[in-house]
Amino acid sequence: MELRSAKGEFIFQYEKTQKKGKCDNCYRYSSLPVACRCKAAFYCSAECMSGDKKYHLLKCDAKEDALEYKETDKSVMGEAGLQNLGNTCYMNSGLQCLSNTTLLSRYFLSDLYVKDINLDNPLGSRGEVVDAYARLIKALWYGTEYVITPYSFKQTFGKHHTSFEGLSQQDSQEFVSTLMDSLHEDLNRVKVKPYIENKTTVDPEDNSMADEAWYNHLARNQSVIVDLMHGQYKSVVHCPNCKKYSVAFDPFSSITLPLPSSKQRLIKFTYVPYNLSRGVIKGAVKVDKKATVDGVREKVGELLKVKKYGASYVLLSANTFDRYLCREQKSKIISKYNSQLYIQEINPKYFTDEVEKKVTELVKSRNGLATEESKGKEINSTNNPEVKKAEVSGPTDDWRTARNTCPIKDHDDDNNGLSHDLLRVCVNVYTTANYSYWSKAFSERRTFNRLIYAKRSHSLRQLHLEVFAYLRPLFDSALESEGLSFAARMSDEELFDKLFGGVEESELPYELRVVNVAKRLLVFGAKCFFCGNAECENCLVPLTENVKVQDLLDRMGPEPVKNDYYYFEHRFYNADKREFELEVRFNVDKKYWKGDLTLLDKTTEDINTTSMADKEEEITVDTCLSQFSNCETLDEDNLWYCTTCNDSVKASKRMEILRCPPILVLHLKRFKVKENAIFGKTSTRLNVLVNFPLRDLDLSPYIKKYEKPPIYDLYAVSNHYGSIDFGHYTAFAINRGVWHEYDDSGVSKVTEDNVCTSAAYVLFYRLRGMTDDVDLKLLEQKIPEGHAIKELPIGGKEAVSYTHLTLPTNREV
């Protein structure tokens, strides 16, 4: 016997022979007088059934009658969330946008859809999808639960659209498009579709066939989806060989807008002068996307008025070096890695104007642009046979290939034109201090890695002086603050002896150590190159004239250490990689300390350069619409078959919007397919911000024909965050005049200032003046009376031509 509980829920109760067993909620063995509609779950009481409802709905096959839903005082009215069933955030996002398409939702809430269900359409689902969607919409609006489990809808939709079956991640735009097509076929008022030929023309300026193509579309498709969301565009394809045009007029339910890509790349950098007192300069330049690092050097040189080749270009992350950039590498490598570009000036004592001129001539000779004066002359740095080998092998972006075929060119960049006796040295900067809560001295990184140059023939004392010369501004600043102006008149060596003469090495304000790079070889038990200790914490560099820098380099192996240093990729692939690095450990507790460490953090903000970061080309919906209407050349994957040439060609294609519907759906094409040498075709997401108006989107510049001004207002947005493989979808939508954010089961109010973000993926607009209470019959798309529809011959019958009065609903085909 069917009864209604105190809460208004329908239950089944068996009077004579009640089922006995374990209750599906409390698991007690007793009589089970209460059962779910699906008759697969039984309970000892209505309270147990209510307590198990949240969990049982995930597997319940019972279908509630959509006609039973009625608006009450407790109805949530569209402010309910949707439970994530497992990677179904794309579905929840699309459903919430469609739920807040009030013209469409009112059609289902008022049960107008019932009379339009087409059970005989072979392209439909015999009304199953539309019934499941109606039940879901009524639960979102007339239900009393603030979290709805769309399990029944998901099962029904996946049953008829197998690409959405299961719990794999999908695309919200594809889901919305597929759902709209499915609802249209289930609600198609045309019971028997005539067979009509799609005609084309060869005149790109001829729009006379647009109306006929639209009426032919209506002869086969008439539903509330067509009335609200179908428009028409014109595509013009031009063959580059025979110069033939092919013009077609096709319907659309959404417009996919390409995101314009800039032809330039913004390169942000940090310029580090050799003189620490000047402070670093943070700036940005714009270069062509096809430019090399050499092109970046030219732009930076022009902007900062510095030597083009007088600095080393390196990528840093976490204040440590990742990669040294060769001149011939493409500039895209700077943004390819999650690193920052640091430009470190070379000691002007070594990099003179003469060296700059020499490197310039070398680059010109490699590019075949040598001047008449330089032709036939040899540049000293090219006497190295490895450099000549590099010139033959040519530039490369692949570091693995570069290591085997282009060792000097990809890594050393010809030592920036300097003598090969000069060794580029990476300096790690740390500070050490004693804290009461630590058992031993605490060491931490003080600033990002720095670069200096030292001669291989230098003694270790001279190496100390080279480091001191770089750090001297720290001491000058401290001495000047104490009124000791004598330092300005002294050389580096004199000042070093003046400040530290007679002081024991253990009492110096900093310790100079050589880094134990053997730890980076990932070989168990690897011993330090210098002391042979496997647990070496970096060896102290003695202050002596008897040991040369080359003596230290010789301990690293028989092969000469080149001007190359550690970067991330080599950590795992190059077990024989060897670098010479130093570590400076400042100790602020030493009584002889006379330095100002704040200079290490000094930054000079250059307004002319830093402001460029905020001047990137703004992308708006109008920009995307303009690019949509522009002529484009089809690529290899989208060749067009020309019937005149009998060949697939790279034709040019242009799109025009002819008719716009009351509900306009704009899809921002954020996912871009790229070729990858290892993984084939891969997709990446464009994270640029597209500014779109919340009101007054005017499409009149892009539409050829309109009766009312095509001005639209935004009412919903489907958002996508993350990457194409690990992303998440949410939605913004206006519900009863207030913007809401729908994040699966969570629903919250937001201000309209939060709506326009770089996550926006699908935009839903409504035509201005289209109120919620408009009569949907006034929006029905109909074929004008007296318009002749010519049907193609079927089964040997002659062509049928009839004048449209009312569309035939029962005709043999």
Side-chain angles (χ1 to χ4, degrees):
M1 181 175 65
E2 186 176 13
L3 301 175
R4 184 185 292 270
S5 67
K7 295 183 179 181
E9 300 170 331
F10 283 94
I11 61 177
F12 289 95
Q13 182 169 330
Y14 301 90
E15 291 183 315
K16 295 182 180 180
T17 57
Q18 292 183 352
K19 180 180 177 67
K20 292 185 178 181
K22 286 186 178 181
C23 173
D24 282 311
N25 183 51
C26 65
Y27 300 108
R28 290 183 298 182
Y29 188 88
S30 63
S31 298
L32 305 176
V34 183
C36 178
R37 288 176 176 272
C38 64
K39 298 182 181 180
F42 295 87
Y43 306 92
C44 61
S45 65
E47 288 74 16
C48 278
M49 177 180 177
S50 177
D52 189 51
K53 182 178 180 180
K54 177 180 178 181
Y55 306 99
H56 176 63
L57 282 177
L58 294 174
K59 54 185 178 180
C60 182
D61 293 330
K63 294 183 178 179
E64 298 181 6
D65 190 352
L67 299 178
E68 290 183 1
Y69 281 100
K70 300 297 180 183
E71 182 179 358
T72 65
D73 294 339
K74 297 183 179 180
S75 297
V76 295
M77 300 305 293
E79 294 187 16
L82 293 171
Q83 184 176 349
N84 193 321
L85 306 177
N87 285 331
T88 58
C89 56
Y90 72 92
M91 181 183 74
N92 296 343
S93 174
L95 287 173
Q96 294 289 11
C97 292
L98 293 175
S99 171
N100 287 283
T101 305
T102 51
L103 290 175
L104 182 61
S105 293
R106 185 165 61 85
Y107 172 78
F108 287 96
L109 295 174
S110 58
D111 298 326
L112 295 176
Y113 73 96
V114 177
K115 62 181 178 60
D116 291 334
I117 295 179
N118 189 338
L119 300 177
D120 302 321
N121 189 351
L123 299 179
S125 64
R126 300 183 63 84
E128 291 185 16
V129 171
V130 71
D131 182 62
Y133 180 77
R135 282 187 276 113
L136 181 60
I137 291 297
K138 290 197 173 186
L140 287 171
W141 285 84
Y142 290 167
T144 58
E145 300 288 340
Y146 280 92
V147 178
I148 308 298
T149 303
Y151 181 80
S152 178
F153 171 82
K154 177 70 170 62
Q155 290 293 96
T156 304
F157 189 73
K159 170 185 173 183
H160 295 280
H161 303 280
T162 55
S163 59
F164 293 93
E165 192 176 17
L167 299 177
S168 60
Q169 181 64 278
Q170 301 286 350
D171 185 274
S172 67
Q173 186 272 335
E174 293 179 1
F175 167 76
V176 170
S177 179
T178 304
L179 177 58
M180 290 298 96
D181 289 343
S182 184
L183 293 178
H184 159 66
E185 297 297 347
D186 277 351
L187 298 171
N188 198 345
R189 296 187 289 266
V190 179
K191 306 303 179 183
V192 180
K193 297 183 178 182
Y195 290 85
I196 304 172
E197 180 183 7
N198 289 329
K199 295 183 179 180
T200 60
T201 182
V202 295
D203 186 358
E205 304 300 328
D206 183 15
N207 292 331
S208 60
M209 295 181 60
D211 288 341
E212 182 179 353
W214 179 249
Y215 297 146
N216 288 343
H217 173 63
L218 295 181
R220 294 173 54 85
N221 305 277
Q222 290 191 33
S223 69
V224 66
I225 304 300
V226 175
D227 300 337
L228 295 178
M229 309 182 77
H230 277 208
Q232 184 187 40
Y233 58 68
K234 168 186 174 183
S235 63
V236 180
V237 184
H238 181 226
C239 177
N241 299 329
C242 65
K243 310 302 180 183
K244 172 190 172 182
Y245 284 93
S246 177
V247 183
F249 302 90
D250 301 307
F252 68 82
S253 59
S254 64
I255 300 177
T256 298
L257 299 180
L259 301 188
S261 57
S262 175
K263 294 182 179 179
Q264 290 187 314
R265 177 179 285 112
L266 183 69
I267 303 293
K268 297 180 182 180
F269 65 86
T270 300
Y271 184 83
V272 186
Y274 180 81
N275 187 346
L276 294 179
S277 63
R278 292 171 54 191
V280 301
I281 300 174
K282 294 184 178 181
V285 294
K286 283 187 177 181
V287 297
D288 189 272
K289 281 194 172 181
K290 297 182 179 179
T292 61
V293 174
D294 192 68
V296 179
R297 283 179 173 272
E298 183 174 359
K299 291 288 186 178
V300 172
E302 293 174 356
L303 187 66
L304 301 182
K305 310 301 181 185
V306 296
K307 294 183 176 68
K308 178 179 178 180
Y309 300 108
S312 298
Y313 280 54
V314 293
L315 295 181
L316 279 82
S317 63
N319 292 326
T320 59
F321 289 132
D322 281 347
R323 189 182 184 102
Y324 170 72
L325 298 180
C326 171
R327 288 188 294 265
E328 287 80 3
Q329 285 177 307
K330 295 181 180 178
S331 61
K332 68 179 181 181
I333 197 173
I334 298 175
S335 56
K336 181 179 180 181
Y337 298 93
N338 188 24
S339 305
Q340 297 175 326
L341 174 62
Y342 277 70
I343 305 173
Q344 306 217 21
E345 183 184 12
I346 301 174
N347 189 344
K349 179 176 67 174
Y350 298 128
F351 198 91
T352 62
D353 292 338
E354 182 180 352
V355 177
E356 171 79 4
K357 182 179 178 181
K358 181 176 67 173
V359 178
T360 303
E361 294 296 334
L362 172 62
V363 174
K364 286 183 178 181
S365 64
R366 282 184 172 176
N367 296 334
L369 300 176
T371 60
E372 292 295 332
E373 299 162 352
S374 64
K375 287 183 179 179
K377 295 181 180 180
E378 288 188 355
I379 298 179
N380 293 335
S381 61
T382 59
N383 292 332
N384 189 312
E386 290 183 297
V387 175
K388 294 182 179 180
K389 177 182 177 181
E391 293 181 11
V392 175
S393 60
T396 177
D397 283 330
D398 186 22
W399 64 267
R400 298 176 183 85
T401 305
R403 179 179 177 271
N404 296 324
T405 62
C406 189
I408 295 294
K409 187 172 184 179
D410 185 56
H411 296 253
D412 297 340
D413 227 353
D414 303 328
N415 201 23
N416 280 90
L418 301 172
S419 166
H420 283 277
D421 182 47
L422 282 170
L423 179 69
R424 184 189 300 111
V425 181
C426 170
V427 179
N428 300 267
V429 183
Y430 286 81
T431 55
T432 302
N434 292 311
Y435 296 97
S436 59
Y437 45 84
W438 288 101
S439 60
K440 61 179 181 179
F442 179 77
S443 180
E444 61 183 353
R445 183 176 292 277
R446 185 62 177 79
T447 183
F448 56 87
N449 285 1
R450 307 300 177 105
L451 285 178
I452 66 170
Y453 277 81
K455 291 185 178 181
R456 300 170 189 261
S457 56
H458 272 167
S459 67
L460 296 190
R461 171 181 168 79
Q462 289 174 310
L463 179 62
H464 271 274
L465 290 174
E466 195 72 52
V467 174
F468 177 77
Y470 181 74
L471 300 175
R472 176 171 177 170
L474 306 181
F475 299 92
D476 288 342
S477 176
L479 292 172
E480 185 178 353
S481 64
E482 295 180 8
L484 303 176
S485 58
F486 64 87
R489 300 186 299 271
M490 303 178 70
S491 65
D492 295 337
E493 185 172 1
E494 291 172 342
L495 181 60
F496 181 84
D497 293 335
K498 179 72 175 178
L499 294 178
F500 307 116
V503 179
E504 296 182 6
E505 294 181 14
S506 60
E507 290 297 326
L508 291 176
Y510 61 80
E511 295 176 349
L512 185 62
R513 295 174 176 267
V514 58
V515 176
N516 178 16
V517 294
K519 289 184 177 181
R520 299 172 181 166
L521 300 181
L522 297 182
V523 178
F524 179 76
K527 297 181 180 180
C528 175
F529 290 126
F530 309 104
C531 67
N533 187 356
E535 299 182 0
C536 174
E537 294 293 337
N538 301 339
C539 299
L540 279 170
V541 179
L543 189 62
T544 177
E545 292 279 5
N546 299 326
V547 181
K548 305 294 184 183
V549 173
Q550 187 61 49
D551 295 334
L552 297 181
L553 300 180
D554 291 340
R555 294 188 182 184
M556 300 178 70
E559 183 181 351
V561 176
K562 308 188 191 76
N563 281 323
D564 191 4
Y565 45 80
Y566 168 83
Y567 55 82
F568 181 78
E569 292 90 343
H570 280 187
R571 182 185 305 181
F572 300 106
Y573 295 100
N574 281 12
D576 60 344
K577 190 79 173 62
R578 297 173 302 114
E579 307 81 27
F580 183 73
E581 297 185 19
L582 295 177
E583 178 184 301
V584 175
R585 290 187 188 178
F586 289 104
N587 193 329
V588 295
D589 292 337
K590 299 291 185 181
K591 62 181 180 180
Y592 287 96
W593 170 244
K594 297 291 183 180
D596 182 9
L597 284 181
T598 59
L599 286 182
L600 294 173
D601 304 318
K602 183 178 179 180
T603 301
T604 302
E605 295 289 346
D606 192 311
I607 298 177
N608 294 330
T609 57
T610 55
S611 61
M612 290 190 63
D614 301 324
K615 293 183 179 179
E616 294 190 69
E617 298 178 9
E618 183 182 21
I619 299 178
T620 64
V621 167
D622 286 328
T623 308
C624 299
L625 286 167
S626 298
Q627 179 149 334
F628 173 81
S629 303
N630 290 340
C631 185
E632 65 170 342
T633 301
L634 303 179
D635 55 24
E636 292 285 350
D637 297 329
N638 298 283
L639 298 178
W640 177 69
Y641 185 78
C642 178
T643 56
T644 303
C645 302
N646 292 325
D647 191 16
S648 297
V649 297
K650 291 183 179 181
S652 59
K653 185 177 182 179
R654 174 169 54 88
M655 306 288 288
E656 295 179 9
I657 303 174
L658 296 183
R659 301 172 188 266
C660 261
I663 302 299
L664 178 65
V665 181
L666 300 180
H667 166 223
L668 303 179
K669 193 175 181 181
R670 289 197 176 274
F671 299 113
K672 186 176 182 181
V673 178
K674 291 185 177 181
E675 289 287 346
N676 187 289
I678 299 177
F679 302 104
K681 292 183 179 180
T682 59
S683 296
T684 57
R685 185 183 186 278
L686 303 177
N687 295 314
V688 297
L689 172 65
V690 179
N691 289 312
F692 50 87
L694 275 61
R695 302 175 187 85
D696 303 323
L697 175 63
D698 187 4
L699 295 186
S700 56
Y702 313 104
I703 301 178
K704 298 295 183 181
K705 180 180 180 180
Y706 55 87
E707 297 178 357
K708 297 180 180 180
I711 299 177
Y712 289 81
D713 298 322
L714 185 77
Y715 71 86
V717 181
S718 177
N719 302 307
H720 178 270
Y721 300 90
S723 65
I724 189 172
D725 297 318
F726 304 98
H728 180 61
Y729 289 90
T730 65
F732 292 122
I734 295 179
N735 182 283
R736 291 178 292 175
V738 180
W739 279 100
H740 288 69
E741 181 180 13
Y742 297 86
D743 187 356
D744 287 336
S745 57
V747 181
S748 59
K749 294 181 180 180
V750 295
T751 62
E752 62 181 27
D753 296 336
N754 299 324
V755 174
C756 184
T757 67
S758 59
Y761 184 46
V762 185
L763 311 177
F764 293 78
Y765 281 91
R766 182 168 66 176
L767 186 65
R768 174 74 58 84
M770 198 67 61
T771 59
D772 293 342
D773 57 353
V774 66
D775 188 356
L776 293 177
K777 289 186 178 181
L778 299 178
L779 301 179
E780 288 186 4
Q781 298 287 330
K782 296 181 179 179
I783 302 175
E785 294 188 6
H787 181 77
I789 300 293
K790 185 175 182 180
E791 188 175 354
L792 290 176
I794 304 296
K797 298 181 180 179
E798 295 182 357
V800 179
S801 179
Y802 59 89
T803 301
H804 183 80
L805 296 176
T806 57
L807 195 66
T809 58
N810 187 13
R811 183 190 327 117
E812 287 187 9
V813 179

